[in-house]
């Protein structure tokens, strides 16, 4: 009954809670705990409607949920926590103060500072690059014109809304969470507008509780080897069960590699295995630095130069079927423009692409690389010509190289030391290119791993299939692939002493063999091998 009341009229439930608890200062924490407990179970949470910005989708002050990425942590605002109604002070938070008539004359309320409290304000957007198979699980893309599109990293439809929270939080830029609250429509809370200009009215969510999202965006995945019992036993049945489970994981992994190779990489299983390793890697340590390796696959078939716009590689379509979030870029065009080909040269300022977030008039504009941890970036180098890059393209390329080398991204602020602040990222990257004789990317030559695509002699494969033309495994097999990939993304592995010794011996052997050119095998190569095995 309590849950159905909360679904039907969350405002009334808040007011009743407030009446029971009086005017205690800890009421926001009490309200959060109450609603969080009501919807603690996953099946209960699924009863809450998913946010849709269509004006017909939700009644005023409905209870909704929205899974999104924090794009901006805006300045806190003061709100009226207590409002006089019929001679008594009633609850004013969660937007309730805006719905009732204040009966107290003059400025009595604002003079009494005990009536005022502070709340945090965030700008939250749809998860950039979120795969379609996840959207059925808690988020919806907007079919209408997005609100404040400059605050979204990509040039695509999305939802963006103002989120107001009433208890302290630790959410940072690019973190993903599921926000549950009361939906309203209010003026934007920002100092970025002139005194004579009214702020726009935007969708606003007054949060009742939040659920943090894991790296896989949705929960329920386990590291594959955690499913396998690790108990030491001599019981034959248990030993056989353990070996059977391990064999099944190995077999599933081989099937996945084969599918990636045959469908997107001309049958090259080695390249497919590298793709799997890189896409499931993550930052394991900042000190010492253990970050995802970046991969270049060269000798990759390029689309005809006359093809416009540049088609998306089949590999990216497959990754979108497996991974929670992916982003694809075509270089050099997307280094400075979303239009392919760019409408004019030079590209107008209003159409320039920014890879790093930057502040304008105290408003944080998003950048292409403002992405959640675990997002996999694929880059296709096509139609590369000789000549100098436009200044914005060169700047964006520098930003990307720095991010891949350090897994940090500089947000640019006018008055910050060094023109910005570094924010941590965790974004694996795969580059597809011709590579020429060197086998390296033109734009990202310093990638960690370089693999030449090896296609069987005479074999012709379509590297740019449309989504509808993909050959897919059965639905249950595809779901097993996802469980394997997503489980691997969150697992923790250890390098056993015998493996570490093998890597060290192999490194020493290779360095000895190349003693005439010691610069070709460096200590960084040893660190890379250790990182890769993790």
């Amino acid at each position: 009954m309590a849950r159905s009341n909360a679904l039907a009229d969350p405002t009334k439930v808040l007011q009743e809670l407030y009446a029971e608890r009086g005017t205690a200062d800890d009421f926001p924490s009490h309200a959060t705990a109450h609603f969080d407990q009501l919807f603690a179970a996953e099946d209960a949470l699924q009863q809450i409607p998913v946010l849709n910005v269509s004006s017909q989708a939700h009644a005023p002050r409905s209870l909704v949920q929205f899974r999104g990425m924090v794009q901006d942590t805006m300045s806190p605002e003061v709100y009226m926590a207590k409002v006089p109604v019929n001679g008594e002070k009633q609850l004013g938070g969660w937007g309730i103060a805006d719905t009732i008539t204040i009966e107290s004359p003059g400025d009595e309320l604002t003079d009494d500072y005990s009536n005022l409290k502070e709340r945090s304000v965030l700008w939250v957007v749809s998860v950039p690059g979120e795969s379609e198979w996840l959207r059925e699980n808690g988020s919806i893309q907007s079919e209408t014109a997005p609100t404040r599109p400059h605050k979204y990293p990509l040039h695509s439809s999305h939802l963006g809304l103002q989120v107001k929270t009433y208890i302290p939080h630790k959410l940072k830029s690019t973190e993903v969470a599921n926000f549950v609250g009361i939906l309203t429509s209010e003026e934007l809370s920002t100092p970025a507008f002139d005194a004579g200009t009214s702020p726009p009215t935007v969708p606003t969510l007054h949060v009742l509780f939040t659920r943090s999202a894991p790296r896989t965006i949705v929960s329920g995945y386990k590291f594959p080897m955690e499913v396998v019992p690790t108990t030491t036993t001599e019981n034959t049945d248990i030993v056989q069960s353990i070996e059977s489970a391990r064999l099944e994981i190995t077999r599933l992994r081989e099937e996945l590699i084969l599918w990636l190779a045959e469908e997107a990489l001309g049958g090259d299983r080695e390249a497919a295995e590298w793709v799997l390793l890189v896409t499931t890697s993550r930052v394991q340590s900042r000190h010492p630095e253990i970050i995802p390796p970046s991969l270049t696959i060269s000798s990759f078939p390029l689309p005809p130069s006359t093809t416009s716009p540049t088609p998306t590689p089949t590999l990216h379509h497959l990754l979108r079927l497996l991974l929670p979030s992916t982003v694809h870029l075509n270089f050099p065009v997307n280094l400075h423009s979303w239009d392919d080909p760019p409408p004019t040269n030079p590209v107008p300022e209003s159409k320039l692409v920014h890879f790093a977030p930057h502040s304008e008039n105290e408003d944080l504009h998003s950048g292409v690389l403002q992405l959640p941890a675990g997002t996999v970036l694929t880059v296709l180098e096509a139609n590369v010509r000789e000549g100098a890059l436009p200044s914005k393209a060169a700047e964006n390329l520098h930003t990307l190289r720095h991010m891949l080398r350090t897994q940090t991204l500089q947000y640019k602020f006018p008055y910050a030391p060094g023109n910005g602040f570094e924010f941590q990222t965790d974004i694996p990257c795969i580059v597809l290119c011709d590579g020429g004789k060197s086998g390296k990317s033109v734009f990202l030559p310093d990638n960690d791993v370089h693999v030449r695509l090896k296609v069987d002699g005479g074999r012709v494969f379509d590297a740019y299939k449309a989504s509808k033309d993909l050959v897919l495994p059965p639905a249950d097999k595809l779901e097993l692939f996802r469980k394997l990939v997503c489980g691997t993304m969150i697992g923790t592995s250890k390098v056993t002493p015998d493996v570490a010794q093998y890597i060290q011996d192999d490194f020493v052997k290779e360095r000895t063999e190349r003693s005439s050119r010691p610069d070709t095998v460096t200590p960084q190569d040893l660190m890379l091998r250790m990182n890769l095995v993790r």
Side-chain angles (χ1 to χ4, degrees):
M1 185 67 178
R3 188 183 301 152
S4 60
N5 289 341
L7 288 166
D9 193 346
T11 301
K12 183 178 179 181
V13 173
L14 276 172
Q15 291 169 326
E16 290 173 349
L17 282 174
Y18 190 78
E20 293 172 5
R21 198 169 179 85
T23 57
D25 289 338
D26 66 345
F27 179 74
S29 297
H30 175 67
T32 294
H34 177 81
F35 279 88
D36 195 15
Q37 182 61 35
L38 280 180
F39 297 97
E42 187 63 28
D43 59 341
L45 186 64
Q46 290 178 0
Q47 297 177 32
I48 302 175
V50 175
L51 175 63
N52 187 322
V53 293
S54 169
S55 58
Q56 293 81 28
H58 308 284
R61 299 191 60 77
S62 293
L63 182 69
V64 300
Q65 61 174 310
F66 177 61
R67 185 174 68 228
M69 181 193 81
V70 176
Q71 188 274 330
D72 192 5
T73 52
M74 300 152 70
S75 299
E77 68 176 11
V78 174
Y79 72 100
M80 193 174 294
K82 304 171 187 176
V83 183
V85 177
N86 298 326
E88 297 183 356
K89 291 183 178 179
Q90 300 294 326
L91 179 64
W94 290 272
I96 296 175
D98 297 332
T99 67
I100 57 181
T101 302
I102 298 176
E103 300 179 352
S104 189
D107 295 328
E108 178 184 334
L109 278 177
T110 54
D111 289 343
D112 185 354
Y113 292 109
S114 66
N115 292 326
L116 305 178
K117 284 185 176 294
E118 191 174 80
R119 60 191 173 197
S120 300
V121 184
L122 310 170
W123 188 261
V124 179
V125 297
S126 305
V127 179
E130 186 179 61
S131 298
E132 287 77 3
W133 60 273
L134 275 184
R135 292 181 191 162
E136 305 168 1
N137 242 336
S139 64
I140 292 180
Q141 293 294 86
S142 172
E143 296 181 357
T144 61
T147 304
R148 311 184 76 212
H150 65 277
K151 296 186 77 66
Y152 192 63
L154 308 177
H155 190 62
S156 59
S157 63
H158 68 280
L159 301 182
L161 64 152
Q162 181 173 239
V163 169
K164 300 186 177 183
T165 65
Y166 292 80
I167 62 173
H169 67 82
K170 296 181 179 180
L171 290 168
K172 300 176 183 177
S173 173
T174 73
E175 290 190 10
V176 176
N178 196 21
F179 299 87
V180 178
I182 298 172
L183 182 65
T184 66
S185 184
E186 301 176 10
E187 285 190 350
L188 182 65
S189 175
T190 176
F193 291 87
D194 298 331
T197 305
S198 297
T201 299
V202 297
T204 301
L205 190 66
H206 292 269
V207 174
L208 292 165
F209 66 93
T210 63
R211 299 275 170 82
S212 296
R215 183 183 179 85
T216 53
I217 300 181
V218 293
S219 56
Y221 294 106
K222 292 184 177 180
F223 186 49
M225 295 312 295
E226 289 179 2
V227 181
V228 180
T230 56
T231 306
T232 301
T233 178
E234 296 181 0
N235 185 300
T236 304
D237 291 339
I238 294 178
V239 170
Q240 289 179 346
S241 175
I242 293 173
E243 290 305 314
S244 176
R246 287 175 175 165
L247 183 62
E248 183 60 32
I249 291 172
T250 301
R251 186 182 298 117
L252 184 65
R253 184 176 183 276
E254 289 301 319
E255 290 180 20
L256 173 56
I257 290 172
L258 178 61
W259 178 55
L260 290 172
E262 292 296 324
E263 191 65 11
L265 296 168
D268 189 338
R269 297 194 188 189
E270 181 184 350
E273 184 157 11
W274 277 112
V275 167
L276 184 59
L277 287 171
V278 170
T279 54
T280 56
S281 63
R282 60 187 172 89
V283 174
Q284 298 195 42
S285 171
R286 298 281 175 179
H287 305 287
E289 194 175 79
I290 305 176
I291 63 177
S294 48
L295 169 66
T296 295
I297 299 178
S298 60
S299 300
F300 193 83
L302 302 181
S305 58
T306 55
T307 306
S308 183
T310 305
T312 301
T314 305
L315 180 62
H316 179 71
H317 292 312
L318 298 192
L319 294 180
R320 286 194 65 77
L321 292 170
L322 297 170
L323 298 165
S325 57
T326 60
V327 170
H328 178 71
L329 299 175
N330 292 319
F331 282 5
V333 61
N334 292 151
L335 277 172
H336 62 115
S337 173
W338 285 121
D339 295 319
D340 185 3
T344 60
N345 192 11
V347 177
E349 180 68 30
S350 60
K351 290 184 174 290
L352 284 176
V353 170
H354 297 265
F355 275 25
H358 62 285
S359 179
E360 292 185 17
N361 299 321
E362 300 184 58
D363 182 23
L364 185 65
H365 291 229
S366 189
V368 173
L369 300 180
Q370 191 182 21
L371 302 170
T375 302
V376 173
L377 176 66
T378 59
V379 173
L380 173 67
E381 291 185 2
N383 301 325
V384 180
R385 298 180 178 88
E386 291 186 4
L389 285 173
S391 59
K392 174 50 69 174
E395 178 187 323
N396 286 334
L397 185 57
H398 173 78
T399 298
L400 176 58
R401 287 174 174 174
H402 176 78
M403 188 208 73
L404 295 179
R405 187 172 62 253
T406 66
Q407 283 299 330
T408 60
L409 179 64
Q410 185 180 66
Y411 288 33
K412 298 181 179 179
F413 296 93
Y415 306 109
N419 200 33
F421 297 104
E422 296 280 347
F423 285 73
Q424 292 182 351
T425 61
D426 194 350
I427 304 171
C429 177
I430 299 172
V431 178
L432 308 174
C433 65
D434 174 78
K437 293 182 179 180
S438 70
K440 293 187 176 183
S441 159
V442 172
F443 299 104
L444 299 169
D446 297 326
N447 279 1
D448 299 302
V449 181
H450 305 270
V451 177
R452 282 193 182 275
L453 192 67
K454 294 182 285 292
V455 181
D456 295 337
R459 175 171 178 170
V460 177
F461 78 101
D462 189 353
Y464 301 93
K465 286 185 179 181
S467 297
K468 62 182 179 61
D469 297 326
L470 298 176
V471 177
L472 304 180
D476 57 343
K477 179 68 70 174
L478 184 58
E479 183 57 32
L480 287 175
F481 285 166
R482 288 171 184 158
K483 288 182 177 180
L484 177 66
V485 170
C486 292
T488 305
M489 289 174 65
I490 59 175
T492 300
S493 60
K494 294 182 179 179
V495 181
T496 58
D498 57 328
V499 172
Q501 187 63 49
Y502 176 84
I503 293 172
Q504 183 173 326
D505 292 345
D506 186 66
F507 170 77
V508 171
K509 178 183 177 182
E510 185 174 355
R511 195 168 191 183
T512 301
E513 291 174 349
R514 300 190 187 184
S515 57
S516 61
R517 296 183 59 194
D519 58 314
T520 61
V521 183
T522 68
Q524 285 70 32
D525 293 305
L526 176 61
M527 287 301 301
L528 174 61
R529 296 176 194 204
M530 295 297 289
N531 291 350
L532 288 172
V533 79
R534 287 184 172 92

